[in-house]
Amino acid sequence: MKEYILALESSCDETACSIIKLDGTLLSNIVSSQIDTHTLYGGVMPEIASRLHIENINFVIKESLDKANIQLDEIAAIAITSGPGLIGALHVGLQAAKTLALTLNIPLIPVHHLVGHIYANSYVKENKYPCLAIVVSGGHTELVYMKKEFDFEIVGSTTDDAIGEAYDKVARILGLGYPGGPKIDKASKEGKDIYKLPYPHANGKYNVSYSGLKTYVNNFVHNTKAKGEDININDMACSFQHRAIEMIVDKAMDVIEDYDVKQVVVAGGVAANSYLRELISKRMEKYNDIELVLPPLWCCGDNAAMIAKAGLSLYKRNYFASLDLSAKPSWSLLDYKVNE
Ligand code: AMP
Ligand code: MG
């Protein structure tokens, strides 16, 4: 009996494989992170990421099968992140997925990486529509409205830097190192929101802008140091975190007021942020008829369990790709036409 889906993810700096049963039970979730290597360079080096994916992918697949205690001939389909992401990195997972699909003679399911992040929430609660997904990651900051499953409208987004990117850059300015998100989040808990940072407004009712905030912190830190004065790193981290998170949460609340929403989910690496989780929970308290779902912390960073969950939904719709499937490094959600 073929009753499992094998999912692969290699869009950035995590090589991951997961096995899910067709009834939705997650059997294994193996993630090999390259973070230690990229930390040496202060950020993800695309060429090194591709090489490490090539070195690791077969071990990750093997370990995932072993953990799930199943054989390759029990797999019904292969789900694969085919974009967006780093092109060389995507190609490694894609080629492995296509080889498995070809040799096992089973379907290939193309999964949009951000849809995977959105589906991480379904490990907590079933998706409910209309749904607003607050997508916050290293490369994306989008307010995605879904009237029904796989129906995407981007109602708001960043007009410049992604929120995770701003976190990483500000962490570097503050000397906190890479990756910046968790470091700022931790420092923030030791600090107070005492710095009067600006709240830049973007054009467009539901849009946000992060580059002005980042540049302000940069200039403030340099000017203060030039005067021979000290910055309190924990306080600055706290003030930055408060402004950065308030900006996106404020816009999400505007969408909730203006649109018909039954469920709000948070998706992407920044969904792990403690202040984001606290603030959105507090702001949502007054909406008795709207469900808030936060992804489990183990499913916020890149992983294949989320790709498996999205893949399972797509499998049930017979949404398959042919073996000439290619990587789509800048794939927009608007071009993910599952319902057509
Ligand atoms: P992703 O692009 O989905 O792989 O997520 C990676 C991004 O999430 C990076 O920019 C990280 O700095 C950021 N990130 C991870 N954990 C946190 C956190 N606790 N707070 C803020 N940002 C975070
Ligand atoms: Mg991601």
Side-chain angles (χ1 to χ4, degrees):
M1 271 284 276
K2 292 182 186 292
E3 46 183 352
Y4 307 95
I5 289 175
L6 182 149
L8 289 172
E9 154 67 42
S10 70
S11 65
C12 190
D13 60 342
E14 264 89 29
T15 321
C17 179
S18 193
I19 313 273
I20 198 167
K21 207 170 169 189
L22 294 181
D23 69 4
T25 314
L26 181 67
L27 296 186
S28 63
N29 178 36
I30 305 297
V31 182
S32 166
S33 175
Q34 309 174 354
I35 201 106
D36 291 346
T37 307
H38 297 295
T39 299
L40 302 174
Y41 304 91
V44 177
M45 300 294 283
E47 177 60 30
I48 293 174
S50 309
R51 287 170 189 231
L52 290 175
H53 284 310
I54 287 181
E55 285 175 22
N56 294 333
I57 194 153
N58 284 359
F59 295 111
V60 168
I61 294 172
K62 169 95 172 54
E63 200 175 329
S64 202
L65 287 164
D66 287 350
K67 178 91 192 295
N69 198 20
I70 62 158
Q71 308 293 319
L72 275 177
D73 61 7
E74 293 174 273
I75 304 287
I78 308 289
I80 174 67
T81 302
S82 42
L86 301 170
I87 186 154
L90 286 166
H91 272 305
V92 179
L94 207 56
Q95 194 52 44
K98 286 163 73 165
T99 306
L100 285 169
L102 175 69
T103 50
L104 299 169
N105 194 24
I106 54 175
L108 187 64
I109 308 167
V111 181
H112 190 290
H113 180 78
L114 295 182
V115 173
H117 275 301
I118 291 170
Y119 268 82
N121 290 278
S122 71
Y123 281 107
V124 178
K125 284 245 168 79
E126 277 305 307
N127 299 345
K128 215 182 209 173
Y129 301 91
C131 176
L132 172 69
I134 304 171
V135 177
V136 277
S137 74
H140 295 88
T141 309
E142 283 161 15
L143 295 171
V144 181
Y145 183 70
M146 294 169 284
K147 221 177 268 172
K148 56 180 182 169
E149 196 177 29
F150 299 115
D151 182 312
F152 306 106
E153 184 187 344
I154 300 174
V155 292
S157 63
T158 178
T159 53
D160 38 61
D161 293 354
I163 183 170
E165 191 185 348
Y167 260 91
D168 293 335
K169 286 182 183 160
V170 167
R172 196 176 309 157
I173 293 163
L174 297 180
L176 290 171
Y178 178 86
K183 300 252 165 77
I184 290 188
D185 198 4
K186 187 158 175 262
S188 180
K189 288 180 190 149
E190 309 294 319
K192 289 191 235 46
D193 177 12
I194 59 159
Y195 289 105
K196 298 271 168 288
L197 301 184
Y199 183 116
H201 290 278
N203 284 334
K205 186 165 182 201
Y206 308 113
N207 288 341
V208 285
S209 159
Y210 283 102
S211 95
L213 180 60
K214 169 201 69 189
T215 305
Y216 184 91
V217 174
N218 191 34
N219 293 344
F220 186 85
V221 168
H222 284 293
N223 294 342
T224 308
K225 280 187 183 158
K227 283 190 257 169
E229 295 166 14
D230 286 334
I231 295 275
N232 183 312
I233 301 291
N234 292 341
D235 290 345
M236 182 54 91
C238 184
S239 295
F240 168 77
Q241 168 140 308
H242 276 71
R243 287 306 84 66
I245 298 298
E246 279 158 17
M247 273 158 55
I248 188 70
V249 171
D250 285 351
K251 296 298 175 183
M253 299 318 292
D254 289 345
V255 176
I256 291 163
E257 283 293 323
D258 296 351
Y259 283 69
D260 174 28
V261 176
K262 291 275 171 300
Q263 189 185 60
V264 175
V265 303
V266 186
V270 184
N273 185 266
S274 62
Y275 185 58
L276 171 57
R277 297 172 84 96
E278 180 192 323
L279 188 64
I280 188 81
S281 302
K282 209 186 302 163
R283 296 264 184 99
M284 289 300 298
E285 269 170 12
K286 64 175 178 171
Y287 298 97
N288 294 324
D289 52 344
I290 307 179
E291 182 176 83
L292 171 69
V293 187
L294 299 172
L297 287 176
W298 64 264
C299 212
C300 290
D302 290 345
N303 66 82
M306 66 186 197
I307 304 301
K309 259 286 185 170
L312 179 56
S313 236
L314 294 160
Y315 178 81
K316 290 178 181 159
R317 288 164 176 262
N318 290 321
Y319 184 74
F320 303 135
S322 58
L323 287 175
D324 63 357
L325 179 67
S326 194
K328 298 183 183 70
S330 8
W331 203 7
S332 163
L333 275 174
L334 302 180
D335 297 324
Y336 197 43
K337 307 280 189 197
V338 176
N339 291 323
E340 284 175 8

